[in-house]
Amino acid sequence: MIDSVTIRQQARVLGFDLCGITTGTKTEHDASFRQWLADGCHGEMRYMTRRPDPDQLLPGVRSIIVVGLNYHNPGIPHVARYAAGMRDYHDVMGEKLNELAKLVDGVWYVDTGPILERDLTQRAGLGWIGKHTNLINRRLGNWLLLGEVLTTRELVPDAPERGHCGSCRRCLDACPTGAITAPYRLDARRCISYLTIELKGSIPVELRPLIGARVFGCDACLEVCPWNRFARLSTIAPRALPPLTEMLAWTEQQFAGYFRGTPMFRLKRARFLRNVCVVLGNIGDKAALRALAHAVQDSDALVREHATWAINKLA
Ligand code: B12
Ligand code: SF4
């Protein structure tokens, strides 16, 4: 019979910064989640409509072990910190969660399954859902990746954390696109993270200038959170990108050779270059114009369209 203390110790040995336990019961926020979907805030992320209760993922589930991994790093230009130099976190966390799951014959998820991860994490006492909708921990701030193990074993649950945002609204004000439409509510269709990572096709023209210099993801709302003053740097060292104009000339092979194993690889070349075109359109110079002139003849229509937009904007 394994106890919670052993699980926590093992989580720490595996390199997780936080570990908590909650019950396998369904979310209390089902109504607000359904409303979010009904309002279309999930955009093209159709997989979001598949959000069954934990019991449907693991029949007889009694407990959920929730973990957090600190990824706070100094950051690099153009890329959200969670993706800056790190191996794809699904792989990094997956290896560790797999070990943890063996202790309790459980099944693990890291962004891989239809689970409201932040809900569970707050319930397990690891932090609270901030107004930017991300989990904030008192000691580590909001630079945390989350994962969980579902098990049929009975484990002693932790007490839930309560909110500590108070009257602060810095994240709402910092969002370049106004995607946080109300505290605790994000319209993904406007979020730069969605536009640069999840959206498959053309980026809405009116939102392109607001993307600024962000090629992959966005941290604007996370950076301004005052709870980050306690955050300590993780050991993950960021890896800077090659110059944007250089990447714009990359072939499929060059793209894969550089990004395989990183979060950027999931985008594939065309969407990555789409984003590079938008950023060059926003911040580019003469060298950018030359690179874009080449990109308007790209083999991919998505790249051609965004390169044309960027040239017109710079002109
Ligand atoms: C879809 C998704 C996205 C979408 C939509 C984001 C969103 N806010 O929903 C997009 C592509 C935009 C996105 C962006 C990012 N994401 Co994301 N994403 C997810 C994913 C797969 C599902 C999230 C989800 O279910 N959203 C639906 C909404 C409605 O759920 P929710 O916000 O949790 O809502 C609940 C609460 O807000 C609560 N609630 C409602 N009202 C109220 C009121 C109060 C007072 C309270 C307390 C709660 C509350 O009820 C809701 C329903 O349960 C999760 C992984 C997962 N499976 O959970 C990762 C996840 C949330 N993403 C993550 C990260 C790191 C990011 C980015 C920071 C990446 C980046 N730098 O570019 C940004 C942050 C943008 C932001 N401000 O949220 C991490 C967040 C870690 C953390 N500390 O919270 C997660 C958990 C992945 C992981 N395993 O680590 N993401
Ligand atoms: S990640 Fe950027 S675009 Fe998305 S809600 Fe936060 S500040 Fe707004």
Side-chain angles (χ1 to χ4, degrees), residues 25-279:
T25 46
K26 61 189 277 187
T27 174
E28 292 160 28
H29 292 121
D30 200 48
S32 59
F33 176 59
R34 299 275 152 221
Q35 190 58 52
W36 186 81
L37 287 177
D39 294 342
C41 292
H42 58 302
E44 288 179 4
M45 298 181 290
R46 272 184 273 284
Y47 67 90
M48 293 293 299
T49 55
R50 215 170 52 86
R51 278 288 183 275
D53 298 334
D55 197 64
Q56 286 167 265
L57 295 173
L58 180 68
V61 58
R62 283 211 193 88
S63 311
I64 304 179
I65 304 165
V66 190
V67 293
L69 184 74
N70 171 23
Y71 67 92
H72 181 31
N73 63 64
I76 53 165
H78 310 304
V79 179
R81 287 183 210 209
Y82 87 91
M86 187 166 160
R87 272 174 63 211
D88 193 320
Y89 76 92
H90 300 91
D91 301 337
V92 176
M93 302 256 305
E95 287 161 14
K96 298 178 193 296
L97 282 164
N98 200 31
E99 292 304 310
L100 204 58
K102 283 183 196 162
L103 293 179
V104 291
D105 299 320
V107 290
W108 58 268
Y109 292 96
V110 49
D111 206 11
T112 39
I115 294 188
L116 288 167
E117 296 186 325
R118 291 170 287 193
D119 244 37
L120 294 175
T121 321
Q122 173 153 2
R123 227 165 69 186
L126 299 192
W128 69 95
I129 300 172
K131 289 181 186 172
H132 52 21
T133 77
N134 286 289
L135 192 93
I136 306 170
N137 173 271
R138 283 168 190 263
R139 285 183 300 110
L140 297 174
N142 56 206
W143 306 112
L144 289 166
L145 294 165
L146 311 177
E148 51 286 320
V149 175
L150 278 62
T151 171
T152 52
R153 306 222 186 160
E154 188 93 53
L155 300 168
V156 181
D158 291 295
E161 173 66 293
R162 57 187 185 84
H164 296 288
C165 287
S167 58
C168 177
R169 48 168 292 126
R170 285 192 209 178
C171 54
L172 284 100
D173 297 337
C175 176
T177 57
I180 311 173
T181 51
Y184 315 105
R185 190 178 154 101
L186 179 102
D187 187 340
R189 291 167 297 185
R190 295 191 68 81
C191 178
I192 293 167
S193 183
Y194 169 82
L195 296 170
T196 57
I197 302 174
E198 298 289 334
L199 183 70
K200 301 270 184 306
S202 179
I203 296 177
V205 173
E206 68 281 9
L207 294 176
R208 292 181 196 177
L210 308 180
I211 288 175
R214 298 177 185 84
V215 171
F216 189 89
C218 172
D219 285 335
C221 54
L222 300 176
E223 271 163 3
V224 297
C225 178
W227 284 96
N228 290 329
R229 62 186 179 272
F230 306 120
R232 54 179 165 76
L233 286 178
S234 73
T235 50
I236 300 158
R239 178 177 73 153
L241 289 182
L244 299 181
T245 46
E246 184 185 318
M247 291 190 292
L248 204 50
W250 273 356
T251 61
E252 203 76 65
Q253 286 75 12
Q254 285 170 305
F255 173 84
Y258 195 82
F259 285 129
R260 185 170 286 115
T262 74
M264 270 74 89
F265 187 59
R266 286 171 194 265
L267 272 190
K268 304 286 179 249
R269 173 183 176 276
R271 279 200 281 158
F272 185 80
L273 295 194
R274 169 198 71 182
N275 299 348
V276 170
C277 288
V278 170
V279 169

